[in-house]
């Protein structure tokens, strides 16, 4: 059975993942309105991935005889700038999430709950990938200029 402290921390992370989902949905709506359908699609897929992260954490709590909660989700930013600024905000947000996951691992290690450290290793790898992907898009948008941004938009529209 998982400890109260770890259960609380994982529930906080569930809320953070759902906030992340809403953040990317807000970005998706913004891109849609601006006519960047490819970026809007990419962000919609990202929204779905964040909801999967929340559900993965919830399922783990159930497996460990804990109780997952759906808590209040704070409002996310609604207005955005250029595509480059949006993806820079994405990278910055993912760096923050990586720190949160590391803090969760630290709590699990402190409690010698090695099932949880093992479970969280998936999230650590996922964060490395999410940061690298966002960084790659930021670099490409910096190189691209206005015309190239349109091409990157078209490419990201193919995200599965
Ligand atoms: Fe669930 Fe993008 O971290």
């Amino acid at each position: 059975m998982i400890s109260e402290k770890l259960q609380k921390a994982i529930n906080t992370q569930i809320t953070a993942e759902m906030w992340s989902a809403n953040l990317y949905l807000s970005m998706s709506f913004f891109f849609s309105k601006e006519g960047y359908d490819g970026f809007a699609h990419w962000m919609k897929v990202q929204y779905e991935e964040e909801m999967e992260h929340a559900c993965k954490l919830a399922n783990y709590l159930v497996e460990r005889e804990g109780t997952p909660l759906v808590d209040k989700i704070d409002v996310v930013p609604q207005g955005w700038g250029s595509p480059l600024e949006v993806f820079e905000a994405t990278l910055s947000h993912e760096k923050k999430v990586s720190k949160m996951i590391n803090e969760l691992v630290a709590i699990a290690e402190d409690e010698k709950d090695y099932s949880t450290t093992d479970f969280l290793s998936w999230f650590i790898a996922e964060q490395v990938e999410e940061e690298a992907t966002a960084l790659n898009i930021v670099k490409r948008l910096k190189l691209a200029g206005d015309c190239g941004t349109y091409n990157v938009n078209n490419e990201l529209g193919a995200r599965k």
Side-chain angles (χ1 to χ4, degrees):
M1 188 170 182
I2 200 156
S3 73
E4 277 298 321
K5 185 178 179 184
L6 208 37
Q7 173 173 284
K8 193 162 175 249
I10 291 176
N11 268 317
T12 299
Q13 190 62 35
I14 289 174
T15 303
E17 298 291 346
M18 293 173 81
W19 190 90
S20 298
N22 282 355
L23 176 72
Y24 295 131
L25 193 60
S26 167
M27 290 171 171
S28 178
F29 289 171
F30 170 77
F31 278 135
S32 225
K33 182 177 178 299
E34 295 296 307
Y36 286 114
D37 291 347
F39 292 145
H41 168 78
W42 194 95
M43 285 297 176
K44 180 85 185 307
V45 174
Q46 192 62 30
Y47 154 79
E48 286 160 3
E49 279 195 13
E50 299 301 349
M51 290 305 289
E52 282 170 20
H53 295 170
C55 291
K56 200 173 172 81
L57 290 161
N59 289 341
Y60 179 72
L61 277 185
V62 170
E63 281 173 358
R64 296 291 311 281
E65 299 180 64
T67 306
L69 301 172
V70 175
D71 209 339
K72 187 179 120 209
I73 314 294
D74 286 341
V75 71
V76 295
Q78 306 290 336
W80 302 97
S82 68
L84 175 59
E85 284 166 353
V86 179
F87 280 95
E88 281 176 334
T90 298
L91 176 58
S92 162
H93 179 65
E94 287 306 328
K95 285 181 177 174
K96 208 162 83 185
V97 175
S98 296
K99 281 190 185 146
M100 294 172 84
I101 297 292
N102 285 342
E103 280 162 21
L104 261 187
V105 172
I107 295 171
E109 279 177 348
D110 195 44
E111 298 197 348
K112 297 188 168 45
D113 185 336
Y114 300 117
S115 307
T116 300
T117 53
D118 183 55
F119 166 72
L120 290 172
S121 64
W122 182 90
F123 280 87
I124 289 174
E126 180 75 358
Q127 283 312 121
V128 170
E129 195 227 301
E130 292 211 339
E131 279 190 40
T133 301
L135 177 62
N136 178 265
I137 296 170
V138 165
K139 282 181 184 168
R140 289 172 65 193
L141 287 174
K142 278 183 178 166
L143 289 170
D146 285 346
C147 177
T149 296
Y150 187 72
N151 291 335
V152 177
N153 169 65
N154 289 342
E155 279 180 42
L156 295 195
R159 182 182 184 185
K160 299 277 190 261

